[in-house]
Amino acid sequence: VVFKLAGSLLTSIMPFVTTYFAALTTTALADAYSGVAAAGDRAILYVAITAGLGLFMTIWRSVDQYIQAKMRYIVEAKVTDRMYDQFLNLSFAQYDDKVTADLYDKSQRFASFFAYVFDRIASLLAEFITMIAGVVALATVHIWLALIVLIAIVPGVFIQFSLTRAQIKHWNKNVDIRRTQGRIEWGLLQPQSIAQLRLYGIVKHLMRLREQLRERDEKARLDFERKYIGLRLLADTLEAITELGALIWVVLQIVQKMMPIGQFVFVQQVVSRAMGGANSFVSQLSGLDEDVANLVDYQKFLQLPRDEHGSAQILQVPQNIVFEHVWFAYGSHPDEFVLKDISLVIHKNQHIAIVGENGAGKTSFIKLLTGLYNPIKGVVKLDDISLKDIDTGSWHAQLGVLQQDAPGYSFATVRDNVRFGDIDKPDNKKNIDAALRDSEAYDFVHKLPKGIDSYVDVWMEDEEGNKGTDLSGGQWQRLSLARNFFRDAPIVILDEPTSAIDALAESRIFSRLFARKDRTIITISHRLTTVKKAEIIYMFEQGKIIEQGTHDQLVKQKGAYYKMFESQLHETEK
């Protein structure tokens, strides 16, 4: 930063020093042409000094380029690291909040450009010094000349500042439009989406929608520019007339022999630099104003509530997971309870199933059980300790969660995709293969070019030039299951994790899961073959538990559970 500040001073002052010696050179040459003794030697000296100053600035700029690159790297790394850390540690309620999403988008803009703020500040300082030094230099020629140039600068400064302010306001107003446009563009360029986009004939529609959004954002910004063209022309004309008047005045002074001939070069260069410095100063100042506005959004984002949890450690598997009169609603709809007065107990090593139609509250139940959200009313306890008071990291270490849309790490190999289940566990081939066998993934993985060290995305390539392979939905689910088997957690939550796997493979996978009696298993499924194996089944409807019992008990009741699985029951009987 010190180097940049010194550079600002040099960058703004050196042109005037160079201009000064250029003016002296011009005067010396005129004197030499007129036969003044020693004038030629002075001209040569001034030329040498000017060349030396140019060489010095060339060296300085080379060093400055490296300093800029290093500073950007350090600053950008720190700012973006803070962004990632904050985003990944927000309270989960924030992820459902549109205001948070808008704030995040604005903060990202700041994080992307903050590394250049120091350059902007340095340029701002340099242009300010250039403007002031130019006015002061003109004052040495004539005080009124300096004042007239200063007055001529003001309109252009005001117009540029007003334009930039309007553009900043427009940018903040259209965050939603840019987000929509960005998601459309991202979706259009995903290879896995192309087939559906073409089959449904919506490529042209999305392209038109993208164009409309772009016009509402970027074209509107051009409209601002158009509105200010007339005012800018007037300001530029005033500056041009002022510069012309200054030069005519200097010419008259030289003709009347009241000034040396070199003053023409000096005034012409100084007036031009003073006006250029003023306009650049306003542009940099307006940009800095925008950076400050983005800084405010960045600070607000960093102050968003982070995920709060207690300090109590879970050192062993709890004997009971207890829900006591739990009510829950999401922050975006605080009056719409998705769970209503839920009370149940899950015992250690018990196998339970949660069933119900879509929107019944099953997934919300799992979010509370895992500690991602806290109840509005009631309490979730592990034995006698409220989940709010427990360090969620130690609780999550006890859990293996398998979801229908479990993430696949397309940037990684099969080995890494499996070992991400527990990165602290030795990832030797024996452990990896055992997990792949349990998940029915072993056969297709070992047919890949490099087995477990193969990439699972066609866009990835190893150092030897071997390209990755695309996996089907079922293969991705088996890989996710392998991650869970590798994790070997004592509490397993299954949320439709085999929806894309054929029935026979699913049966073998679940047989392995349920064979061990030292695990607590919580299953969410719409497949009767999976649900009926549970020791107790809870039927959810509109956020409430309306039935509970074993499969046989619930079938005999012929209630909501029976109606939900009636068609599958008849198929089983056949």
Side-chain angles (χ1 to χ4, degrees):
V1 172
V2 171
F3 189 91
K4 292 295 294 181
L5 293 176
S8 300
L9 190 62
L10 276 173
T11 303
S12 54
I13 295 299
M14 287 300 289
F16 291 105
V17 176
T18 304
T19 299
Y20 172 73
F21 281 105
L24 291 179
T25 302
T26 303
T27 300
L29 286 172
D31 290 344
Y33 187 78
S34 302
V36 176
D41 293 338
R42 288 203 311 273
I44 292 172
L45 175 63
Y46 296 148
V47 168
I49 292 173
T50 303
L53 292 172
L55 178 61
F56 172 75
M57 288 306 297
T58 300
I59 296 171
W60 180 275
R61 280 191 288 269
S62 297
V63 177
D64 181 56
Q65 194 171 19
Y66 166 74
I67 295 293
Q68 284 185 33
K70 184 172 182 180
M71 185 166 67
R72 284 175 191 156
Y73 169 75
I74 293 171
V75 173
E76 187 175 4
K78 180 62 71 176
V79 171
T80 52
D81 285 353
R82 285 181 179 174
M83 279 284 294
Y84 276 100
D85 179 67
Q86 174 70 355
F87 181 80
L88 295 171
N89 286 283
L90 291 175
S91 65
F92 269 81
Q94 298 294 333
Y95 297 124
D96 299 320
D97 182 31
K98 182 183 178 300
V99 174
T100 299
D102 290 347
L103 203 55
Y104 174 71
D105 284 349
K106 293 176 183 178
S107 300
Q108 269 194 316
R109 178 179 171 87
F110 172 80
S112 301
F113 293 103
F114 181 62
Y116 295 88
V117 169
F118 290 100
D119 287 343
R120 196 190 298 278
I121 291 173
S123 298
L124 178 72
L125 182 61
E127 302 299 349
F128 179 74
I129 295 172
T130 297
M131 178 179 67
I132 298 302
V135 173
V136 171
L138 288 173
T140 63
V141 178
H142 199 287
I143 187 66
W144 281 107
L145 184 63
L147 288 174
I148 291 171
V149 169
L150 186 61
I151 291 170
I153 288 171
V154 173
V157 168
F158 178 76
I159 292 166
Q160 181 62 40
F161 193 74
S162 299
L163 172 61
T164 307
R165 270 301 177 90
Q167 289 176 330
I168 293 170
K169 186 176 179 181
H170 172 80
W171 192 93
N172 288 329
K173 184 180 177 182
N174 288 283
V175 170
D176 283 341
I177 291 175
R178 279 188 300 280
R179 183 186 300 131
T180 304
Q181 180 185 339
R183 290 185 178 181
I184 289 172
E185 290 172 346
W186 185 85
L188 286 171
L189 297 178
Q190 298 307 301
Q192 61 267 34
S193 304
I194 297 298
Q196 188 174 64
L197 294 178
R198 288 187 177 179
L199 288 170
Y200 280 70
I202 58 174
V203 171
K204 290 183 178 179
H205 171 76
L206 291 176
M207 287 290 289
R208 284 195 299 270
L209 180 57
R210 171 180 171 271
E211 291 168 8
Q212 291 168 6
L213 293 169
R214 184 178 60 199
E215 288 214 354
R216 287 173 62 187
D217 181 32
E218 296 179 22
K219 190 172 180 297
R221 274 185 274 179
L222 290 175
D223 291 341
F224 284 123
E225 294 277 355
R226 189 180 69 246
K227 289 178 183 177
Y228 280 84
I229 286 177
L231 293 173
R232 275 181 159 177
L233 284 173
L234 287 174
D236 291 343
T237 302
L238 177 61
E239 291 178 7
I241 291 172
T242 302
E243 184 173 358
L244 177 62
L247 293 177
I248 291 173
W249 179 80
V250 171
V251 167
L252 292 173
Q253 294 292 310
I254 294 172
V255 169
Q256 296 172 12
K257 299 187 182 298
M258 296 178 67
M259 284 186 181
I261 193 170
Q263 286 291 70
F264 179 84
V265 176
F266 183 72
V267 170
Q268 188 270 331
Q269 289 290 318
V270 169
V271 170
S272 178
R273 290 187 182 280
M275 290 183 172
N279 288 323
S280 297
F281 172 73
V282 175
S283 297
Q284 297 292 345
L285 182 63
S286 301
L288 188 64
D289 184 53
E290 181 179 358
D291 291 330
V292 171
N294 291 330
L295 172 61
V296 172
D297 292 325
Y298 176 78
Q299 287 296 106
K300 286 180 180 177
F301 179 75
L302 290 184
Q303 290 166 5
L304 288 175
R306 292 167 71 96
D307 191 23
E308 295 182 3
H309 45 74
S311 57
Q313 298 290 317
I314 297 294
L315 302 177
Q316 58 186 7
V317 183
Q319 295 297 313
N320 298 294
I321 303 169
V322 184
F323 278 64
E324 289 184 355
H325 303 291
V326 168
W327 294 70
F328 177 68
Y330 290 99
S332 54
H333 300 284
D335 299 326
E336 298 178 13
F337 284 99
V338 294
L339 292 176
K340 306 167 187 175
D341 200 22
I342 300 295
S343 293
L344 60 82
V345 179
I346 304 171
H347 302 293
K348 181 181 178 181
N349 299 334
Q350 188 178 33
H351 174 197
I352 74 160
I354 307 293
V355 299
E357 301 292 346
N358 292 334
K362 306 184 298 296
T363 300
S364 297
F365 172 82
I366 296 300
K367 288 179 178 179
L368 265 64
L369 185 149
T370 53
L372 300 181
Y373 290 82
N374 292 317
I376 303 297
K377 293 189 289 185
V379 63
V380 180
K381 296 193 298 185
L382 305 181
D383 294 329
D384 295 323
I385 306 174
S386 171
L387 193 50
K388 288 182 181 179
D389 300 327
I390 291 171
D391 174 54
T392 52
S394 68
W395 171 227
H396 291 164
Q398 306 292 328
L399 303 176
V401 182
L402 267 170
Q403 299 167 295
Q404 181 176 345
D405 56 350
Y409 303 101
S410 58
F411 61 85
T413 62
V414 171
R415 179 193 294 271
D416 285 336
N417 265 275
V418 175
R419 80 179 188 88
F420 284 169
D422 187 351
I423 55 174
D424 295 322
K425 185 176 180 178
D427 65 332
N428 57 60
K429 190 173 185 299
K430 179 181 178 182
N431 291 336
I432 300 287
D433 282 346
L436 292 171
R437 285 193 181 93
D438 286 342
S439 66
E440 297 282 314
Y442 182 88
D443 289 342
F444 83 77
V445 164
H446 283 273
K447 289 178 183 177
L448 297 177
K450 295 192 69 177
I452 64 174
D453 292 313
S454 299
Y455 281 102
V456 284
D457 191 295
V458 291
W459 297 97
M460 299 300 295
E461 185 176 300
D462 63 23
E463 294 178 356
E464 299 172 5
N466 296 303
K467 292 186 177 180
T469 305
D470 263 339
L471 302 184
S472 66
Q475 288 173 328
W476 270 116
Q477 284 196 343
R478 294 184 196 200
L479 208 54
S480 297
L481 284 163
R483 192 179 308 131
N484 184 72
F485 278 112
F486 184 80
R487 184 174 179 80
D488 197 24
I491 301 173
V492 179
I493 299 170
L494 306 170
D495 187 356
E496 299 281 10
T498 57
S499 57
I501 298 175
D502 63 87
L504 288 175
E506 180 198 50
S507 177
R508 291 193 295 269
I509 291 168
F510 278 113
S511 293
R512 296 185 188 105
L513 274 170
F514 300 148
R516 288 179 52 177
K517 302 301 180 183
D518 59 346
R519 279 183 181 155
T520 304
I521 299 179
I522 301 160
T523 304
I524 295 176
S525 180
H526 290 92
R527 289 190 181 180
L528 183 63
T529 53
T530 302
V531 171
K532 65 188 298 185
K533 297 175 182 178
E535 297 169 44
I536 185 168
I537 301 167
Y538 294 93
M539 180 74 189
F540 277 55
E541 186 177 282
Q542 295 183 353
K544 297 179 180 179
I545 297 175
I546 59 170
E547 293 177 1
Q548 65 184 70
T550 65
H551 168 74
D552 291 337
Q553 290 170 341
L554 295 177
V555 169
K556 287 178 182 178
Q557 290 180 19
K558 294 189 179 295
Y561 176 84
Y562 177 82
K563 291 178 182 177
M564 180 176 175
F565 290 102
E566 187 173 5
S567 61
Q568 295 185 51
L569 284 166
H570 292 327
E571 288 178 10
T572 303
E573 290 172 2
K574 291 177 183 179

